[in-house]
CSV table of all heavy atoms in Angstrom, one decimal:
chain,number,residue,atom,x,y,z
Y,1,PHE,N,0.8,-1.2,0.0
Y,1,PHE,CA,0.0,0.0,0.0
Y,1,PHE,C,0.9,1.2,0.0
Y,1,PHE,O,1.8,1.3,0.7
Y,1,PHE,CB,-0.9,0.0,1.3
Y,1,PHE,CG,-1.7,1.3,1.5
Y,1,PHE,CD1,-2.7,1.6,0.8
Y,1,PHE,CD2,-1.2,2.1,2.5
Y,1,PHE,CE1,-3.4,2.8,1.0
Y,1,PHE,CE2,-1.9,3.3,2.7
Y,1,PHE,CZ,-2.9,3.7,1.9
Y,2,VAL,N,0.5,2.2,-0.8
Y,2,VAL,CA,1.2,3.5,-0.8
Y,2,VAL,C,0.4,4.6,-0.2
Y,2,VAL,O,0.8,5.3,0.7
Y,2,VAL,CB,1.6,3.9,-2.3
Y,2,VAL,CG1,2.2,5.2,-2.3
Y,2,VAL,CG2,2.5,2.8,-2.8
Y,3,ALA,N,-0.8,4.9,-0.8
Y,3,ALA,CA,-1.7,6.0,-0.4
Y,3,ALA,C,-3.1,5.7,-0.8
Y,3,ALA,O,-3.3,5.0,-1.8
Y,3,ALA,CB,-1.2,7.3,-0.9
Y,4,ALA,N,-4.1,6.4,-0.2
Y,4,ALA,CA,-5.5,6.2,-0.5
Y,4,ALA,C,-6.3,7.5,-0.1
Y,4,ALA,O,-5.8,8.2,0.8
Y,4,ALA,CB,-6.1,5.0,0.1
Y,5,ILE,N,-7.3,7.7,-0.8
Y,5,ILE,CA,-8.1,8.9,-0.5
Y,5,ILE,C,-9.6,8.5,-0.7
Y,5,ILE,O,-10.0,7.8,-1.6
Y,5,ILE,CB,-7.8,10.1,-1.5
Y,5,ILE,CG1,-8.6,11.3,-1.1
Y,5,ILE,CG2,-8.0,9.7,-2.9
Y,5,ILE,CD1,-8.1,12.6,-1.7
Y,6,THR,N,-10.5,8.9,0.3
Y,6,THR,CA,-11.9,8.6,0.2
Y,6,THR,C,-12.7,9.6,-0.5
Y,6,THR,O,-12.2,10.7,-0.9
Y,6,THR,CB,-12.4,8.5,1.7
Y,6,THR,OG1,-12.4,9.8,2.3
Y,6,THR,CG2,-11.6,7.5,2.5
Y,7,SER,N,-14.0,9.3,-0.7
Y,7,SER,CA,-14.8,10.3,-1.4
Y,7,SER,C,-14.9,11.6,-0.6
Y,7,SER,O,-15.2,12.6,-1.2
Y,7,SER,CB,-16.2,9.6,-1.5
Y,7,SER,OG,-16.8,9.3,-0.3
Y,8,GLY,N,-14.8,11.6,0.7
Y,8,GLY,CA,-14.8,12.8,1.5
Y,8,GLY,C,-13.5,13.5,1.5
Y,8,GLY,O,-13.4,14.6,2.1
Y,9,GLY,N,-12.4,12.9,1.0
Y,9,GLY,CA,-11.2,13.6,0.9
Y,9,GLY,C,-10.2,13.2,2.0
Y,9,GLY,O,-9.1,13.7,2.1
Y,10,SER,N,-10.6,12.2,2.9
Y,10,SER,CA,-9.7,11.7,3.9
Y,10,SER,C,-8.5,11.0,3.2
Y,10,SER,O,-8.8,10.2,2.3
Y,10,SER,CB,-10.4,10.9,4.9
Y,10,SER,OG,-11.3,11.6,5.6
Y,11,THR,N,-7.3,11.1,3.7
Y,11,THR,CA,-6.2,10.4,3.1
Y,11,THR,C,-5.4,9.6,4.1
Y,11,THR,O,-5.5,9.8,5.3
Y,11,THR,CB,-5.2,11.4,2.5
Y,11,THR,OG1,-4.7,12.3,3.6
Y,11,THR,CG2,-5.8,12.3,1.4
Y,12,ASN,N,-4.8,8.5,3.6
Y,12,ASN,CA,-3.9,7.6,4.4
Y,12,ASN,C,-2.6,7.4,3.5
Y,12,ASN,O,-2.7,7.3,2.3
Y,12,ASN,CB,-4.6,6.3,4.7
Y,12,ASN,CG,-5.7,6.5,5.7
Y,12,ASN,OD1,-5.5,6.9,6.8
Y,12,ASN,ND2,-6.9,6.1,5.3
Y,13,TYR,N,-1.5,7.3,4.2
Y,13,TYR,CA,-0.2,7.1,3.6
Y,13,TYR,C,0.6,6.0,4.3
Y,13,TYR,O,0.5,5.8,5.5
Y,13,TYR,CB,0.6,8.4,3.6
Y,13,TYR,CG,0.1,9.5,2.8
Y,13,TYR,CD1,-0.7,10.5,3.5
Y,13,TYR,CD2,0.3,9.6,1.5
Y,13,TYR,CE1,-1.3,11.5,2.8
Y,13,TYR,CE2,-0.2,10.7,0.7
Y,13,TYR,CZ,-1.0,11.7,1.4
Y,13,TYR,OH,-1.5,12.7,0.7
Y,14,ALA,N,1.4,5.3,3.5
Y,14,ALA,CA,2.3,4.4,4.1
Y,14,ALA,C,3.4,5.2,4.8
Y,14,ALA,O,3.7,6.2,4.3
Y,14,ALA,CB,2.9,3.5,3.0
Y,15,ASP,N,3.9,4.6,5.8
Y,15,ASP,CA,5.0,5.3,6.6
Y,15,ASP,C,6.2,5.7,5.7
Y,15,ASP,O,6.8,6.7,5.9
Y,15,ASP,CB,5.5,4.5,7.8
Y,15,ASP,CG,4.4,4.4,8.9
Y,15,ASP,OD1,3.5,5.2,8.9
Y,15,ASP,OD2,4.5,3.4,9.7
Y,16,SER,N,6.4,4.8,4.7
Y,16,SER,CA,7.6,5.0,3.9
Y,16,SER,C,7.5,6.2,3.0
Y,16,SER,O,8.5,6.7,2.5
Y,16,SER,CB,7.9,3.8,3.1
Y,16,SER,OG,6.8,3.4,2.3
Y,17,VAL,N,6.3,6.7,2.7
Y,17,VAL,CA,6.1,7.8,1.8
Y,17,VAL,C,5.6,9.0,2.5
Y,17,VAL,O,5.5,10.1,1.8
Y,17,VAL,CB,5.2,7.4,0.6
Y,17,VAL,CG1,5.8,6.1,-0.1
Y,17,VAL,CG2,3.8,7.2,1.1
Y,18,GLU,N,5.2,8.9,3.7
Y,18,GLU,CA,4.6,10.1,4.5
Y,18,GLU,C,5.5,11.2,4.4
Y,18,GLU,O,6.7,11.1,4.7
Y,18,GLU,CB,4.3,9.6,5.9
Y,18,GLU,CG,3.6,10.7,6.8
Y,18,GLU,CD,2.2,10.8,6.5
Y,18,GLU,OE1,1.6,9.7,6.5
Y,18,GLU,OE2,1.6,11.9,6.3
Y,19,GLY,N,4.9,12.4,4.0
Y,19,GLY,CA,5.7,13.6,3.9
Y,19,GLY,C,6.4,13.8,2.6
Y,19,GLY,O,6.8,15.0,2.3
Y,20,ARG,N,6.4,12.8,1.8
Y,20,ARG,CA,7.1,13.0,0.5
Y,20,ARG,C,6.0,12.9,-0.7
Y,20,ARG,O,6.2,13.5,-1.7
Y,20,ARG,CB,8.1,11.9,0.2
Y,20,ARG,CG,9.3,11.9,1.2
Y,20,ARG,CD,10.4,11.0,0.8
Y,20,ARG,NE,9.9,9.6,0.9
Y,20,ARG,CZ,9.9,8.8,-0.2
Y,20,ARG,NH1,10.4,9.2,-1.4
Y,20,ARG,NH2,9.5,7.5,-0.1
Y,21,PHE,N,5.0,12.0,-0.5
Y,21,PHE,CA,3.9,11.8,-1.5
Y,21,PHE,C,2.7,12.5,-1.1
Y,21,PHE,O,2.4,12.6,0.1
Y,21,PHE,CB,3.7,10.3,-1.7
Y,21,PHE,CG,4.8,9.5,-2.3
Y,21,PHE,CD1,6.1,10.1,-2.5
Y,21,PHE,CD2,4.6,8.2,-2.7
Y,21,PHE,CE1,7.1,9.4,-3.1
Y,21,PHE,CE2,5.6,7.5,-3.3
Y,21,PHE,CZ,6.8,8.0,-3.5
Y,22,THR,N,1.9,13.0,-2.0
Y,22,THR,CA,0.6,13.6,-1.7
Y,22,THR,C,-0.4,13.0,-2.7
Y,22,THR,O,-0.3,13.1,-3.9
Y,22,THR,CB,0.7,15.1,-1.9
Y,22,THR,OG1,1.6,15.6,-1.0
Y,22,THR,CG2,-0.7,15.7,-1.6
Y,23,ILE,N,-1.5,12.5,-2.1
Y,23,ILE,CA,-2.6,12.0,-3.0
Y,23,ILE,C,-3.7,13.0,-3.1
Y,23,ILE,O,-4.0,13.6,-2.1
Y,23,ILE,CB,-3.1,10.6,-2.5
Y,23,ILE,CG1,-4.0,9.9,-3.5
Y,23,ILE,CG2,-3.7,10.7,-1.1
Y,23,ILE,CD1,-4.3,8.5,-3.1
Y,24,SER,N,-4.3,13.1,-4.2
Y,24,SER,CA,-5.5,14.0,-4.4
Y,24,SER,C,-6.4,13.4,-5.5
Y,24,SER,O,-6.1,12.4,-6.1
Y,24,SER,CB,-5.0,15.4,-4.8
Y,24,SER,OG,-4.3,15.4,-6.0
Y,25,ARG,N,-7.6,14.0,-5.6
Y,25,ARG,CA,-8.5,13.5,-6.5
Y,25,ARG,C,-9.4,14.6,-7.2
Y,25,ARG,O,-9.5,15.7,-6.5
Y,25,ARG,CB,-9.4,12.4,-5.9
Y,25,ARG,CG,-10.4,13.0,-4.8
Y,25,ARG,CD,-11.1,11.9,-4.1
Y,25,ARG,NE,-12.1,11.2,-4.9
Y,25,ARG,CZ,-12.8,10.1,-4.6
Y,25,ARG,NH1,-12.6,9.6,-3.3
Y,25,ARG,NH2,-13.7,9.6,-5.4
Y,26,ASP,N,-9.9,14.4,-8.3
Y,26,ASP,CA,-10.8,15.2,-9.0
Y,26,ASP,C,-12.1,14.4,-9.2
Y,26,ASP,O,-12.1,13.6,-10.1
Y,26,ASP,CB,-10.3,15.8,-10.3
Y,26,ASP,CG,-11.1,16.7,-11.0
Y,26,ASP,OD1,-12.3,16.8,-10.8
Y,26,ASP,OD2,-10.6,17.6,-11.8
Y,27,ASN,N,-13.1,14.6,-8.4
Y,27,ASN,CA,-14.3,13.8,-8.4
Y,27,ASN,C,-15.0,14.0,-9.8
Y,27,ASN,O,-15.6,13.0,-10.2
Y,27,ASN,CB,-15.2,14.1,-7.3
Y,27,ASN,CG,-14.7,13.7,-5.9
Y,27,ASN,OD1,-13.8,12.8,-5.9
Y,27,ASN,ND2,-15.1,14.3,-4.8
Y,28,ALA,N,-15.0,15.2,-10.3
Y,28,ALA,CA,-15.7,15.4,-11.6
Y,28,ALA,C,-15.1,14.6,-12.7
Y,28,ALA,O,-15.8,14.2,-13.6
Y,28,ALA,CB,-15.7,16.9,-11.9
Y,29,LYS,N,-13.8,14.4,-12.7
Y,29,LYS,CA,-13.1,13.6,-13.7
Y,29,LYS,C,-12.8,12.1,-13.3
Y,29,LYS,O,-12.3,11.4,-14.1
Y,29,LYS,CB,-11.8,14.3,-14.0
Y,29,LYS,CG,-11.9,15.7,-14.6
Y,29,LYS,CD,-10.6,16.3,-14.9
Y,29,LYS,CE,-10.6,17.7,-15.4
Y,29,LYS,NZ,-9.3,18.3,-15.7
Y,30,ASN,N,-13.3,11.7,-12.1
Y,30,ASN,CA,-13.0,10.4,-11.6
Y,30,ASN,C,-11.5,10.0,-11.8
Y,30,ASN,O,-11.2,9.0,-12.2
Y,30,ASN,CB,-13.9,9.4,-12.3
Y,30,ASN,CG,-15.3,9.4,-11.8
Y,30,ASN,OD1,-15.6,9.9,-10.8
Y,30,ASN,ND2,-16.2,8.8,-12.7
Y,31,THR,N,-10.7,10.9,-11.3
Y,31,THR,CA,-9.3,10.8,-11.5
Y,31,THR,C,-8.6,11.0,-10.1
Y,31,THR,O,-8.9,11.9,-9.4
Y,31,THR,CB,-8.7,11.8,-12.5
Y,31,THR,OG1,-9.3,11.6,-13.8
Y,31,THR,CG2,-7.2,11.7,-12.7
Y,32,VAL,N,-7.6,10.2,-9.9
Y,32,VAL,CA,-6.7,10.3,-8.7
Y,32,VAL,C,-5.3,10.6,-9.1
Y,32,VAL,O,-4.9,10.1,-10.1
Y,32,VAL,CB,-6.9,9.0,-7.8
Y,32,VAL,CG1,-6.3,7.8,-8.6
Y,32,VAL,CG2,-6.1,9.2,-6.5
Y,33,TYR,N,-4.6,11.4,-8.3
Y,33,TYR,CA,-3.3,11.7,-8.6
Y,33,TYR,C,-2.3,11.4,-7.5
Y,33,TYR,O,-2.8,11.3,-6.3
Y,33,TYR,CB,-3.2,13.3,-8.8
Y,33,TYR,CG,-4.1,13.8,-9.9
Y,33,TYR,CD1,-5.4,14.3,-9.5
Y,33,TYR,CD2,-3.8,13.8,-11.2
Y,33,TYR,CE1,-6.2,14.8,-10.5
Y,33,TYR,CE2,-4.6,14.2,-12.1
Y,33,TYR,CZ,-5.9,14.8,-11.8
Y,33,TYR,OH,-6.7,15.2,-12.7
Y,34,LEU,N,-1.1,11.1,-7.7
Y,34,LEU,CA,-0.1,10.9,-6.7
Y,34,LEU,C,1.1,11.7,-7.1
Y,34,LEU,O,1.9,11.4,-8.0
Y,34,LEU,CB,0.3,9.4,-6.6
Y,34,LEU,CG,1.2,9.1,-5.5
Y,34,LEU,CD1,0.5,9.3,-4.2
Y,34,LEU,CD2,1.7,7.7,-5.6
Y,35,GLN,N,1.3,12.8,-6.4
Y,35,GLN,CA,2.5,13.6,-6.5
Y,35,GLN,C,3.6,13.0,-5.6
Y,35,GLN,O,3.5,12.9,-4.4
Y,35,GLN,CB,2.2,15.1,-6.0
Y,35,GLN,CG,3.4,16.0,-6.1
Y,35,GLN,CD,3.9,16.3,-7.6
Y,35,GLN,OE1,3.0,16.5,-8.4
Y,35,GLN,NE2,5.2,16.2,-7.7
Y,36,MET,N,4.7,12.7,-6.2
Y,36,MET,CA,5.8,12.0,-5.6
Y,36,MET,C,7.0,12.9,-5.6
Y,36,MET,O,7.6,13.2,-6.7
Y,36,MET,CB,6.1,10.7,-6.3
Y,36,MET,CG,4.9,9.8,-6.3
Y,36,MET,SD,5.3,8.1,-7.0
Y,36,MET,CE,5.8,8.6,-8.7
Y,37,ASN,N,7.4,13.4,-4.5
Y,37,ASN,CA,8.6,14.2,-4.4
Y,37,ASN,C,9.8,13.5,-3.6
Y,37,ASN,O,9.5,12.5,-2.9
Y,37,ASN,CB,8.3,15.5,-3.6
Y,37,ASN,CG,7.2,16.3,-4.4
Y,37,ASN,OD1,7.2,16.4,-5.6
Y,37,ASN,ND2,6.4,17.0,-3.6
Y,38,SER,N,10.9,14.0,-3.7
Y,38,SER,CA,12.1,13.5,-3.1
Y,38,SER,C,12.2,11.9,-3.3
Y,38,SER,O,12.4,11.2,-2.3
Y,38,SER,CB,12.1,13.8,-1.5
Y,38,SER,OG,12.0,15.2,-1.3
Y,39,LEU,N,12.1,11.6,-4.5
Y,39,LEU,CA,12.1,10.1,-4.8
Y,39,LEU,C,13.4,9.5,-4.5
Y,39,LEU,O,14.5,10.2,-4.7
Y,39,LEU,CB,11.7,9.9,-6.3
Y,39,LEU,CG,10.2,10.1,-6.6
Y,39,LEU,CD1,10.0,10.3,-8.1
Y,39,LEU,CD2,9.4,8.9,-6.1
Y,40,GLN,N,13.4,8.3,-4.1
Y,40,GLN,CA,14.6,7.5,-3.7
Y,40,GLN,C,14.6,6.2,-4.5
Y,40,GLN,O,13.6,5.8,-5.0
Y,40,GLN,CB,14.5,7.2,-2.2
Y,40,GLN,CG,14.5,8.5,-1.3
Y,40,GLN,CD,14.1,8.2,0.1
Y,40,GLN,OE1,14.2,7.0,0.5
Y,40,GLN,NE2,13.8,9.2,0.9
Y,41,PRO,N,15.8,5.6,-4.6
Y,41,PRO,CA,15.9,4.3,-5.4
Y,41,PRO,C,14.9,3.3,-4.9
Y,41,PRO,O,14.4,2.5,-5.7
Y,41,PRO,CB,17.3,3.9,-5.2
Y,41,PRO,CG,18.0,5.2,-5.0
Y,41,PRO,CD,17.1,6.1,-4.2
Y,42,GLU,N,14.6,3.2,-3.5
Y,42,GLU,CA,13.7,2.2,-3.0
Y,42,GLU,C,12.2,2.5,-3.4
Y,42,GLU,O,11.4,1.7,-3.2
Y,42,GLU,CB,13.8,2.2,-1.5
Y,42,GLU,CG,13.7,3.5,-0.8
Y,42,GLU,CD,15.0,4.1,-0.5
Y,42,GLU,OE1,15.9,4.1,-1.3
Y,42,GLU,OE2,15.1,4.8,0.6
Y,43,ASP,N,12.0,3.6,-4.1
Y,43,ASP,CA,10.6,3.9,-4.6
Y,43,ASP,C,10.4,3.3,-5.9
Y,43,ASP,O,9.3,3.3,-6.5
Y,43,ASP,CB,10.4,5.4,-4.7
Y,43,ASP,CG,10.3,6.1,-3.3
Y,43,ASP,OD1,9.7,5.6,-2.4
Y,43,ASP,OD2,10.9,7.2,-3.2
Y,44,THR,N,11.5,2.7,-6.5
Y,44,THR,CA,11.3,2.1,-7.8
Y,44,THR,C,10.4,0.9,-7.8
Y,44,THR,O,10.6,0.0,-7.0
Y,44,THR,CB,12.7,1.6,-8.3
Y,44,THR,OG1,13.6,2.7,-8.5
Y,44,THR,CG2,12.6,0.8,-9.6
Y,45,ALA,N,9.4,0.9,-8.6
Y,45,ALA,CA,8.3,-0.2,-8.6
Y,45,ALA,C,7.3,0.2,-9.7
Y,45,ALA,O,7.3,1.2,-10.3
Y,45,ALA,CB,7.6,-0.2,-7.3
Y,46,VAL,N,6.5,-0.8,-10.0
Y,46,VAL,CA,5.3,-0.6,-10.8
Y,46,VAL,C,4.2,-0.1,-9.8
Y,46,VAL,O,3.9,-0.7,-8.8
Y,46,VAL,CB,4.8,-1.9,-11.4
Y,46,VAL,CG1,3.5,-1.6,-12.2
Y,46,VAL,CG2,5.8,-2.4,-12.5
Y,47,TYR,N,3.6,1.1,-10.2
Y,47,TYR,CA,2.6,1.7,-9.4
Y,47,TYR,C,1.3,1.4,-10.0
Y,47,TYR,O,1.0,1.6,-11.2
Y,47,TYR,CB,2.8,3.2,-9.3
Y,47,TYR,CG,3.9,3.5,-8.3
Y,47,TYR,CD1,5.3,3.3,-8.6
Y,47,TYR,CD2,3.6,4.1,-7.0
Y,47,TYR,CE1,6.3,3.5,-7.7
Y,47,TYR,CE2,4.7,4.4,-6.1
Y,47,TYR,CZ,6.0,4.1,-6.5
Y,47,TYR,OH,7.0,4.4,-5.6
Y,48,LEU,N,0.3,0.9,-9.1
Y,48,LEU,CA,-1.0,0.4,-9.6
Y,48,LEU,C,-2.1,1.2,-8.9
Y,48,LEU,O,-2.0,1.4,-7.7
Y,48,LEU,CB,-1.2,-1.0,-9.4
Y,48,LEU,CG,-0.1,-2.0,-10.0
Y,48,LEU,CD1,0.8,-2.5,-9.0
Y,48,LEU,CD2,-0.9,-3.1,-10.8
């Protein structure tokens, strides 16, 4: 798990990304975003 956001906008983050990643959503577009900053080699992965 990396991050999640509810319909009401509540968010949860894995400890490993807390403070570096930000999840957001656009309900009108049914789209979720993940802004990833300060990326590290251990962040290398397929993101789903």
Side-chain angles (χ1 to χ4, degrees):
F1 169 79
V2 176
I5 186 167
T6 69
S7 60
S10 297
T11 59
N12 289 300
Y13 297 94
D15 290 343
S16 59
V17 307
E18 184 78 45
R20 299 188 297 120
F21 292 8
T22 302
I23 190 169
S24 61
R25 66 189 293 175
D26 185 335
N27 290 337
K29 297 180 179 179
N30 285 339
T31 299
V32 63
Y33 307 94
L34 186 67
Q35 178 67 44
M36 305 185 295
N37 299 325
S38 301
L39 284 163
Q40 304 167 11
E42 52 264 38
D43 295 316
T44 295
V46 174
Y47 283 70
L48 302 107

